[in-house]
Amino acid sequence: MAKKSLPTAPFLTVASAPHLHCGASIKGMMSTILLALLPAVIGAVYWYGMDAMRVMALSIATAVIVEALCSRIMEKEVRVDDFHAVVTGLLFAFILPAGAEWWLVVSGSAATMILGKMLWGNFGGAPISAIAVGWAFCTVSWPVYMNVDATMLNTTLVNPLSQLKYFGIDSIVDASMYNYFIGDQLGALGAVQVGALLLGGLILLARRVITWEIPVATIAAVLVVGGIYYAIDPELYANPLFHLFTGSTMLAIFFLLTDFTSTPNTRGGKIVFGLMAGFLIILIRTYGQYADGVLFAVLLANMITPLCDMIKPKPFGAR
């Protein structure tokens, strides 16, 4: 009986480039993020007027110029036309007081681009959120000028987180969640536009710029952990919706914790990452020195990203 000849054609072939392009581009994603931020921009101008416009314009212009200069110095292609620097500058402006001094805006925006982006090779290389880096730089260097309560004395808006921190639960018992939702509260320029940021987040989810895991996990952690504290002693701790609707929580959930490069890639990793971020938000607000502390939660959550990326399903057949 003649032996059966082995097949000569390769069993598995891998084609070389060109590959099929999904159509996504950095410029397209950044344009969608700018569209998602537009409602919060309108809300910031409504509540803070031309001061908000001044801070946002100055921060964006600084970010674009710094990226162009750094690209020239590093002998890289100047790609400011992809709107990446515009998004970074606008998000940094969102975490500043509306009455921020011009030199604070310029210094912080430049530090955000240099320390948070360009030193790591610009877009795609930063291991931690560039916005949080810029915020930490300014907060450590000029804490008084970053304090919204100290720099916004000319407004009638009230900072609910400072009220809770320094005057206790009785100072917020009459607080209206609806007022917080529409942005009727004192806080960082664009971070307190809760309803507008939620709308922007839904746009990002609908356009698939971000996925659901991190926002849902973070919201769940804030509600559950905040709810546990509230259940323990409602006369000492605020209800969980208060934490969700005040400060920078909503900005972090949809625009900072979902950063493309500093967050996990796997589904399981994203869920753990979001749960940890939500837990840290409540923990820092409850025991920390800062009334808000969301940006610190973002920085600390970024630190565990490599560990979260290790959470992945086993390959088929592996033991």
Side-chain angles (χ1 to χ4, degrees):
M1 185 176 173
K3 289 185 178 180
K4 203 172 186 179
S5 61
L6 294 174
T8 54
F11 177 73
L12 177 65
T13 59
V14 179
S16 60
H19 302 289
L20 182 64
H21 197 286
C22 68
S25 66
I26 295 176
K27 187 173 183 177
M29 288 191 292
M30 295 300 131
S31 299
T32 304
I33 294 175
L34 288 175
L35 174 66
L37 289 172
L38 184 59
V41 170
I42 296 172
V45 174
Y46 174 79
W47 289 106
Y48 297 112
M50 293 307 296
D51 278 343
M53 286 292 293
R54 174 184 63 84
V55 172
M56 288 188 285
L58 196 54
S59 180
I60 292 171
T62 302
V64 172
I65 293 171
V66 168
E67 180 178 304
L69 289 176
C70 288
S71 297
R72 290 283 187 188
I73 294 171
M74 297 165 70
E75 297 182 349
K76 290 187 172 184
E77 182 184 359
V78 178
R79 301 183 61 181
V80 294
D81 60 340
D82 63 7
F83 302 142
H84 174 235
V86 175
V87 170
T88 304
L90 182 57
L91 284 175
F92 178 72
F94 270 27
I95 61 171
L96 293 175
E101 300 287 345
W102 69 267
W103 53 265
L104 178 68
V105 181
V106 172
S107 302
S109 184
T112 299
M113 291 303 300
I114 295 172
L115 301 178
K117 292 284 184 183
M118 302 308 295
L119 284 182
W120 307 97
N122 203 357
F123 186 77
I128 51 181
S129 168
I131 311 303
V133 171
W135 176 85
F137 172 80
C138 292
T139 300
V140 172
S141 303
W142 306 288
V144 174
Y145 292 96
M146 287 292 287
N147 187 333
V148 292
D149 295 305
T151 57
M152 298 296 293
L153 297 175
N154 60 341
T155 180
T156 58
L157 297 173
V158 176
N159 186 343
L161 288 172
S162 294
Q163 292 286 311
L164 175 65
K165 188 73 178 178
Y166 301 114
F167 302 105
I169 195 72
D170 291 338
S171 63
I172 60 167
V173 289
D174 296 327
S176 165
M177 292 300 145
Y178 172 75
N179 285 349
Y180 293 159
F181 187 79
I182 63 174
D184 186 10
Q185 58 175 311
L186 181 60
L189 183 153
V192 293
Q193 312 305 323
V194 177
L197 291 170
L198 177 60
L199 175 60
L202 294 176
I203 292 174
L204 295 183
L205 287 169
R207 299 293 297 271
R208 298 185 179 180
V209 174
I210 63 174
T211 56
W212 62 268
E213 291 89 352
I214 292 177
V216 170
T218 309
I219 291 172
V222 169
L223 294 178
V224 170
V225 180
I228 291 173
Y229 277 102
Y230 185 67
I232 292 172
D233 191 348
E235 295 184 355
L236 181 61
Y237 303 107
N239 72 67
L241 281 180
F242 174 85
H243 291 291
L244 200 59
F245 285 3
T246 56
S248 309
T249 308
M250 204 61 74
L251 177 70
I253 286 172
F254 289 108
F255 294 94
L256 302 184
L257 290 169
T258 54
D259 181 49
F260 299 122
T261 64
S262 60
T263 52
N265 294 310
T266 64
R267 172 168 291 179
K270 290 178 180 180
I271 293 174
V272 172
F273 177 84
L275 293 174
M276 180 59 70
F279 171 74
L280 289 171
I281 288 172
I282 300 299
L283 199 68
I284 293 173
R285 285 185 175 181
T286 304
Y287 300 110
Q289 177 184 357
Y290 293 91
D292 193 349
V294 168
L295 275 299
F296 279 128
V298 174
L299 281 173
L300 293 173
N302 286 158
M303 301 294 179
I304 65 166
T305 293
L307 295 176
C308 293
D309 271 331
M310 297 173 69
I311 304 172
K312 59 183 71 174
K314 288 183 179 179
F316 179 74
R319 295 183 177 178

